[in-house]
Amino acid sequence: MTLFIAMFATFLLQIFSRYVLNAPLGWTVEVCVILYIWLVFWTAAFLLRDSEHVSFNMLFLMANPRQKRVMAILGIFCIGAAMAAGLPVIIDYVQFMRIEKAPVTRIPLDYIYAIFPVFVIAVVIRSAVSLYRLFTPRWRAEVDAIAGEQQEEQAQRDLP
């Protein structure tokens, strides 16, 4: 919420300075982009459930629970393994970016993109936890959570 408020306030400042004062501020665009990058990766890493991410899940939703479990295991393993395999290179590249600075604010790019390795680590951890749950006797609850069926049931219960 704080990142969004800061981004929106910077955006309003940009509009005010450009159209009211007729003196555009160059740094506001850059700060909005930086805040947006952090907002997207922070939200994806820590706030969204798996079912809230954009996905093409028509086949998954049509499958029976056991098929869903197999699909979930394969998909989550592939995503988690790919992110884990790429993590050392991602960290190395972000550290390399310290030699570059943002054009206007002069913020080192490694600070700007430091959220990306955090996002990747969160995805790997979430994948491991989800895989663990898919191999326990309560795997149906995890499949339902991935499919978003728990959210639909909760929404129907909340209706008057």
Side-chain angles (χ1 to χ4, degrees), residues 7 12 15 22-23 28 34 52-53 70 72 78 86 92 100 114 117 122 126 131 135 160:
M7 186 175 72
L12 290 178
I15 291 171
N22 200 21
T28 54
I34 293 166
E52 294 172 331
H53 288 275
V70 171
C78 289
D92 186 50
E100 295 286 329
R126 287 174 75 170
L131 283 172
F135 285 105

Side-chain angles (χ1 to χ4, degrees), residues 13 19 26 28-29 35 49 56 61-62 67-68 72 88 110 114 116 135 141 149 158:
L13 177 63
Y19 295 109
T28 54
V29 173
L35 290 170
R49 295 180 189 99
F56 300 99
L61 295 177
M62 291 186 328
Q67 292 169 330
K68 285 180 183 179
D110 62 334
F116 191 62
F135 285 105
E149 293 173 9
D158 291 343

Side-chain angles (χ1 to χ4, degrees), residues 15-133:
I15 291 171
F16 179 77
S17 67
R18 178 177 301 245
Y19 295 109
V20 176
L21 302 177
N22 200 21
L25 301 171
W27 62 268
T28 54
V29 173
E30 205 165 273
V31 168
C32 279
V33 169
I34 293 166
L35 290 170
Y36 183 72
I37 290 168
W38 273 77
L39 178 71
V40 167
F41 286 114
W42 184 270
T43 302
F46 300 113
L47 301 177
L48 293 179
R49 295 180 189 99
D50 289 335
S51 63
E52 294 172 331
H53 288 275
V54 175
S55 62
F56 300 99
N57 57 2
M58 292 185 335
L59 294 176
F60 182 81
L61 295 177
M62 291 186 328
N64 67 44
R66 292 188 187 280
Q67 292 169 330
K68 285 180 183 179
R69 180 185 187 195
V70 171
M71 287 183 207
I73 290 169
L74 291 173
I76 291 168
F77 176 78
C78 289
I79 290 170
M83 292 289 194
L87 184 60
V89 176
I90 290 167
I91 291 171
D92 186 50
Y93 188 72
V94 169
Q95 288 175 337
F96 169 75
M97 293 303 289
R98 79 176 135 233
I99 64 173
E100 295 286 329
K101 293 185 180 349
V104 179
T105 60
R106 308 301 299 160
I107 298 171
L109 293 185
D110 62 334
Y111 292 156
I112 294 170
Y113 293 108
I115 189 63
F116 191 62
V118 173
F119 162 75
V120 172
I121 291 167
V123 169
V124 170
I125 291 170
R126 287 174 75 170
S127 296
V129 169
S130 190
L131 283 172
Y132 170 77
R133 289 178 181 159

